[in-house]
């Protein structure tokens, strides 16, 4: 029997709450009633056809503080139809991955009419979010009760309510029992073990699971560098003649780990179904504004903003501001070097143990200043990118990431490049690298996890005391959970987490041949990072909405770009080594520039590496390494063979189905032609 959305009942008084909507305290009653009716209305009438009720009934509102909190859920059938609407991909009984449809639901592995576990809770909350965001204005010109909050046909109601301040926030609820099970297998017992990535994906979604999967993979990938670097540091770290070998290994390592990650990522996302999910047409982002008009592509009415105005804002305001910040970063760097000269002079004059400790103080201060500057610049970059008024969320994210990466790269690594290639002081480079790496890791652990956790614990104690003081005849368990979670901080995504790993990858791949312990410190930090980030996700922040992802997105390109830069850096360090200088004893500076220039040229064109074998003997060795890098990148497929075969099979079946559909239409048209010609003859 075919089930349609119009047959579903949205009047269930008791349901499992999945999502919370918090309204402002002074929201008018007519607005509340209008929002409720739009959420529970049938799809054919422009509603979301979800289940909706206030957190507190009338009696409880008299006893407890009314928070204007509302719970949203959905029936099982509504969830399944929603899964089909958003294009979720599930595993079939024949072990293939296919887009879920309600009509063929019995063909999917694990499906049972009496089983509620076919869809994960993260998927259910994603479906509800999708339905709420797709509530569109129809005939309304404004939000009832708020004439200044204008609407136009097709406008997302939830986004308009959020930008108008009528809706404070929308967030998914934690499942206490499922969260406790996840914590027990994830981080509560400190042990060297693999993370439950599939369980993390089931609870938090693919985007979060991919971050933790990449963090785990990157940590294990650092172990060979750490194992080689430890004896290298203990026995030959003062002999800089030996860092050519380590730099060569570093170059190959940075290429291989990124290529192998692509394969592992494809394996995971195929198993989860997100590798096959079709990309939806992007709607305008919530902060986008402009003059109301008709989109020439979609034909829908929406705000329009001239692209030339956006370009003027980017090139006349944002770009000069970024350049000014970069200049200020370099100015601070020069102050740091003045402090280093002062500390070194003080130590040479006194020679005491106290002044030897003082040698590390400038680097520590500079590391703290770098972290402060990075955070301040992040706020400025977010404001500027929002002010540029990008239409799509993807464009907004790309411009923001570009701004932040450029500044962070210069702010964190400019001093190291200056020491390595201008001052050519390897001892100072090793000291600065060690101090920057260790200090930044300690500060990140404190600021990202431990401080928010401590603040959240204090707030949790206050909420529990307040709830315990209520009347005993009221079951305040759900009330306590919602009040506690609504005051938690909002997780802003994996941007900062990936940025931290990106900078760590830079410290390890660019200059670790000078300080081989960099990889070892990174491994130690990441083992604690896994647990602190897990604690942050489970106990510090609100539960984020699940977001389907097929890969780590633009961060893959960022890491690959850093890998190319590391090739240039390591080749330059090789060019500074005594072995190469012995071949070209007359002009060391020119040699370094030549090596770097040739490697940059070769990096931009793999075919250029063929010419490298016609060069003198020592440069040929570095060019051979670069050629090996490109060969490895080409030889390691992005997707495993069995994944490629399955994707090709699905594409073939899709084309065959389309061909059969076209043949069916042609056959039907041919059947109709004789009838029409017969009528013409009769006439």
């Amino acid at each position: 029997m075919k089930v349609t959305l119009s047959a579903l009942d949205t009047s269930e008084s008791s349901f499992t709450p999945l999502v919370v909507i918090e309204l402002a305290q002074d929201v008018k009653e007519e607005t509340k009633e209008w929002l409720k009716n739009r959420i529970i209305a049938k799809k054919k009438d422009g509603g979301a056809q979800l289940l909706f009720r206030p957190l507190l009934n009338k009696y409880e509102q008299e006893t407890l503080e009314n928070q204007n909190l509302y719970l949203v859920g959905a029936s099982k059938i509504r969830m399944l139809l929603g899964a089909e609407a958003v294009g979720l991909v599930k595993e079939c009984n024949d072990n293939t991955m296919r887009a879920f449809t309600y009509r063929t639901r019995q063909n999917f592995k694990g499906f049972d009419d009496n089983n509620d576990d076919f869809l994960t809770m993260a998927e259910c909350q994603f479906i509800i979010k999708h339905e709420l965001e797709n509530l569109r204005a129809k005939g309304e010109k404004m939000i009832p009760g708020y004439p200044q909050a204008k609407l136009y046909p097709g406008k997302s109601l939830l986004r308009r309510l959020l930008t108008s301040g009528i809706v404070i926030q929308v967030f998914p609820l934690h499942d206490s029992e499922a969260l406790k099970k996840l914590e027990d297998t994830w981080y509560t017992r400190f042990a060297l073990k693999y993370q439950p990535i599939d369980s993390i994906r089931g609870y938090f979604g693919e985007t979060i699971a991919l971050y933790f999967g990449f963090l785990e993979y990157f940590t294990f990938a650092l172990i060979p560098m750490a194992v080689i670097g430890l004896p290298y540091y203990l026995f030959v770290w003062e002999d800089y003649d030996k860092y050519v070998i380590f730099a060569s290994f570093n170059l190959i390592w940075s290429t291989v780990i990124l290529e192998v990650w692509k394969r592992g990522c494809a394996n995971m996302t195929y198993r989860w179904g997100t590798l096959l999910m079709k990309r939806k047409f992007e709607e305008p982002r919530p902060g986008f504004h402009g003059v109301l008009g008709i989109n020439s592509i979609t034909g829908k009415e929406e705000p329009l903003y001239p692209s030339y105005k956006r370009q003027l804002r980017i090139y006349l305001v944002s770009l000069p501001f970024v350049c000014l910040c970069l200049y200020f970063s370099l100015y601070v760097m020069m102050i740091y070097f003045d402090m280093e000269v002062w500390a070194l002079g003080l130590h040479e004059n006194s020679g005491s143990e106290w002044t030897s400790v003082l040698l590390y103080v400038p680097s520590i201060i500079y590391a703290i200043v770098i972290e402060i500057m990075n955070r301040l610049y992040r706020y400025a970059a977010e404001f500027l990118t929002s002010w540029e008024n990008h239409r799509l969320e993807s464009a907004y994210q790309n411009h923001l990431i570009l701004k932040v990466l450029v500044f962070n790269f210069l702010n964190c690594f400019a001093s190291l490049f200056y020491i390595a290639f201008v001052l050519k002081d390897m001892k100072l480079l090793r000291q600065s690298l060690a101090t920057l790496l260790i200090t930044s890791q300690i500060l990140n652990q404190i600021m990202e996890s431990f401080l928010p956790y401590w603040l959240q614990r204090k707030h949790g104690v206050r909420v529990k005391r307040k709830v315990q003081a209520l009347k005993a005849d009221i079951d305040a368990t759900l009330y306590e959970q919602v009040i506690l979670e609504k005051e938690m901080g909002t997780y802003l995504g994996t941007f900062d987490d990936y940025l931290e790993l990106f900078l760590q990858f830079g410290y390890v791949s660019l200059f670790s041949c000078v300080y081989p312990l960099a990889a070892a410190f990174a491994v130690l930090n990441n083992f604690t990072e896994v647990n602190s980030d897990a604690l942050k996700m489970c106990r510090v922040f609100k539960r984020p909405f699940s977001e389907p992802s097929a890969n780590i997105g633009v961060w893959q390109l960022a890491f690959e770009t850093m890998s190319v830069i590391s090739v240039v850096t390591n080749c330059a360090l090789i060019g500074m080594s005594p072995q190469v200088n012995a071949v070209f004893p007359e002009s060391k500076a020119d040699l370094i520039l030549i090596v770097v220039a040739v490697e940059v040229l070769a990096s931009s064109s793999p075919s250029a590496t063929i010419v490298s074998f016609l060069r003198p003997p020592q440069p040929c060795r570095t060019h051979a390494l670069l050629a090996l890098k490109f060969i490895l990148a080409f030889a390691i497929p992005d997707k495993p063979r069995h994944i490629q075969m399955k994707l090709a099979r699905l594409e073939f079946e899709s084309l065959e189905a389309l061909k059969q559909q076209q043949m069916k239409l042609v056959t039907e048209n041919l059947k109709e032609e004789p009838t029409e010609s017969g009528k013409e003859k009769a006439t």
Side-chain angles (χ1 to χ4, degrees), residues 90-98 104-111 118:
K90 290 288 186 177
E91 186 177 7
C92 295
N93 292 324
D94 59 357
N95 296 324
T96 61
M97 304 297 294
R98 300 181 187 277
T104 60
R105 61 191 182 279
Q106 299 295 343
N107 297 336
F108 288 86
K109 186 175 292 186
F111 181 84
F118 179 69

Side-chain angles (χ1 to χ4, degrees), residues 190-306:
F190 187 81
L192 298 179
K193 60 181 180 181
Y194 290 107
Q195 297 178 89
I197 300 297
D198 287 331
S199 299
I200 297 170
R201 176 254 171 179
Y203 193 85
F204 288 109
E206 289 79 15
T207 300
I208 304 296
L210 278 176
Y211 162 69
F212 280 100
F214 182 74
L215 173 60
E216 178 181 88
Y217 169 81
F218 182 56
T219 302
F220 282 105
L222 284 168
I223 291 178
M225 287 284 288
V227 170
I228 295 174
L230 188 60
Y232 191 93
Y233 177 83
L234 293 176
F235 299 112
V236 297
W237 63 272
E238 285 289 0
D239 187 359
Y240 293 110
D241 296 358
K242 303 294 190 302
Y243 63 52
V244 176
I245 301 173
F246 200 86
S248 303
F249 176 78
N250 197 340
L251 187 151
I252 299 171
W253 169 85
S254 63
T255 302
V256 171
I257 65 165
L258 294 177
E259 294 301 321
V260 174
W261 161 251
K262 291 180 186 178
R263 295 171 59 84
C265 180
N267 262 322
M268 285 192 295
T269 53
Y270 179 83
R271 187 172 71 248
W272 298 338
T274 53
L275 188 63
L276 303 172
M277 284 187 71
K278 294 181 180 178
R279 185 182 177 187
K280 302 292 183 181
F281 183 81
E282 280 193 84
E283 296 288 340
R285 54 184 294 270
F288 177 67
H289 58 84
V291 179
L292 197 62
I294 303 297
N295 187 311
S296 58
I297 298 175
T298 64
K300 295 181 179 179
E301 193 177 24
E302 65 176 47
L304 300 178
Y305 188 77

